[in-house]
Amino acid sequence: MSEGRRLDVLEARDGEGPRREAPRARMGTRVVRAGALSVRWEPRTALVCAVLALVAFGAAVLVVGSGEFPISPPDVLRALVGQGDQATEFIVRTLRLPRAVTGLLAGLALGLSGAIFQSMSRNPLGSPDLIGFTTGAATGALLQILVFGGGAVAVAAGSAGGAVLTALAVYLVAYRPGGGVHGVRLVLIGVAAAAMLEALNSYLITRAELREAYEAAFWLTGSLNGRGWEQAVPLAAALAVLVPAALALGGRLGMGELGDDAAQALGVPVQRTRALLMVAGVGLVAAATAATGPVPFVALAAPQLARRLTRRAGAQLLPAALTGAALLACGDLISLHLPVALPVGVVTGVLGGAYLAWLLSTTGRKGMP
């Protein structure tokens, strides 16, 4: 009997306890082999991803069809494939499709970045909303709006630069020679940085002229109003690089949740992997925030919802990304059908606040502080 088979038998014969989880986890996994290549996949996770993709696409179609000139979903689909009339195709492709695409891509980026940072910190509250990276992006944008008077391109560049500089500062402060960066330390320093940057943002707004302060406050809510291809195309280009990089590191990320010592014993270069994941996660946050403004709670809620839907432990990167896309698309759809027009950031803030309260209450019932 091989060593691996012997371990499986011992685990199966063991009494109640954590060891019995291992055989059950393997039962839900399928392996597809094609010659020398083999791919492991999980049917439930694949089904969840397919459903989430359909929900996100369906919500985006409804968003495109919503407005002063409503368009039915079949007409939207016909216009997308070039079989609609000229007026409908103009409304769908030129006026409304960029907004829906930007929402889907931004939600995907936020969900994926949230999964990365929550897994790195091993904390369900370790999302870029709470550890300062989104706040840093807002600070960079506010400096362009209120101090330098930059246009849309400058605001997007300032937002991306603010997120990157904040992440670099947090990483350097959290770094310890010989010990690297620990997840808990990263979260605590990030929360402190977010508090300081929030104070700076409030100061900048109070010192601004009324018109500029209104513009800054509107940007800070997070909105998809008026988004065009000039926002969607750069965001898509950034995601074309960052998403494959993050997914490629997903296996190492899961091993990192076992602890630094265990991951190193399995051959994972912990600190280098953590630095690369920081770059990918911050890049995703910066790209999304530059396109839409700071949309709250999507990065916080999407990874937790993905874990509950897939019923799998560890970093569920692709399900979290699709959950983020579905959440932001559905939030945008809700904002378009409210009696009073609201930015999508207000909707996700309300829904995310309720989710956070539920998460904290359920965590408390499990006996944790």
Side-chain angles (χ1 to χ4, degrees):
M1 182 181 295
S2 67
E3 183 67 19
R5 179 58 180 165
R6 187 180 299 112
L7 289 174
D8 287 350
V9 171
L10 290 174
E11 289 175 354
R13 291 177 178 176
D14 198 6
E16 295 297 328
R19 286 180 174 269
R20 295 183 62 85
E21 295 296 327
R24 287 203 297 267
R26 282 189 286 269
M27 288 176 63
T29 302
R30 301 289 185 270
V31 178
V32 177
R33 292 184 174 85
L37 298 177
S38 62
V39 178
R40 188 182 68 176
W41 67 288
E42 298 157 359
R44 182 182 179 87
T45 301
L47 177 61
V48 167
C49 289
V51 172
L52 288 171
L54 288 175
V55 170
F57 178 76
V61 169
L62 293 175
V63 166
V64 172
S66 302
E68 294 184 2
F69 180 71
I71 303 173
S72 66
D75 290 337
V76 170
L77 295 176
R78 280 192 287 267
L80 289 176
V81 298
Q83 296 181 358
D85 59 80
Q86 186 174 0
T88 302
E89 289 188 10
F90 174 77
I91 293 173
V92 168
R93 293 185 174 185
T94 305
L95 300 181
R96 298 181 182 175
L97 184 60
R99 173 188 180 127
V101 171
T102 302
L104 288 174
L105 295 178
L108 188 146
L110 292 173
L112 183 55
S113 66
I116 290 173
F117 288 117
Q118 288 183 18
S119 180
M120 284 177 57
S121 63
R122 286 169 252 167
N123 191 325
L125 300 180
S127 79
D129 304 272
L130 302 180
I131 60 177
F133 302 153
T134 303
T135 310
T139 302
L142 287 180
L143 288 173
Q144 286 292 342
I145 295 172
L146 303 177
V147 178
F148 301 110
V153 176
V155 171
S159 174
V164 172
L165 290 176
T166 302
L168 181 61
V170 170
Y171 187 86
L172 291 177
V173 174
Y175 183 82
R176 291 291 182 272
V181 176
H182 192 272
V184 175
R185 187 186 300 122
L186 182 71
V187 171
L188 293 176
I189 294 175
V191 170
M196 291 186 289
L197 290 171
E198 284 283 2
L200 176 59
N201 293 347
S202 299
Y203 173 77
L204 290 173
I205 292 177
T206 57
R207 298 288 296 177
E209 298 291 335
L210 182 61
R211 181 187 61 81
E212 294 175 340
Y214 176 80
E215 180 184 354
F218 181 78
W219 190 89
L220 285 174
T221 59
S223 176
L224 291 171
N225 294 335
R227 296 304 184 266
W229 292 117
E230 60 271 19
Q231 285 85 28
V233 172
L235 179 56
L239 265 60
V241 176
L242 295 172
V243 171
L247 294 179
L249 294 168
R252 296 182 182 180
L253 187 63
M255 293 181 186
E257 292 188 357
L258 300 174
D260 291 356
D261 293 338
Q264 288 176 350
L266 292 171
V268 177
V270 175
Q271 295 306 321
R272 184 175 65 183
T273 300
R274 190 168 287 157
L276 292 173
L277 286 168
M278 278 279 293
V279 171
V282 172
L284 291 166
V285 173
T289 306
T292 64
V295 178
F297 285 110
V298 174
L300 174 67
Q304 296 301 313
L305 292 175
R307 287 193 180 196
R308 284 163 172 77
L309 290 172
T310 58
R311 297 180 184 175
R312 306 290 296 183
Q316 302 294 313
L317 295 186
L318 184 57
L322 293 173
T323 302
L327 285 176
L328 193 50
C330 291
D332 191 25
L333 181 63
I334 293 172
S335 71
L336 289 173
H337 289 275
L338 290 174
V340 179
L342 293 175
V344 66
V346 176
V347 176
T348 60
V350 172
L351 298 177
Y355 169 77
L356 179 60
W358 173 81
L359 178 63
L360 293 175
S361 66
T362 55
T363 300
R365 285 197 294 267
K366 292 178 182 178
M368 298 178 62

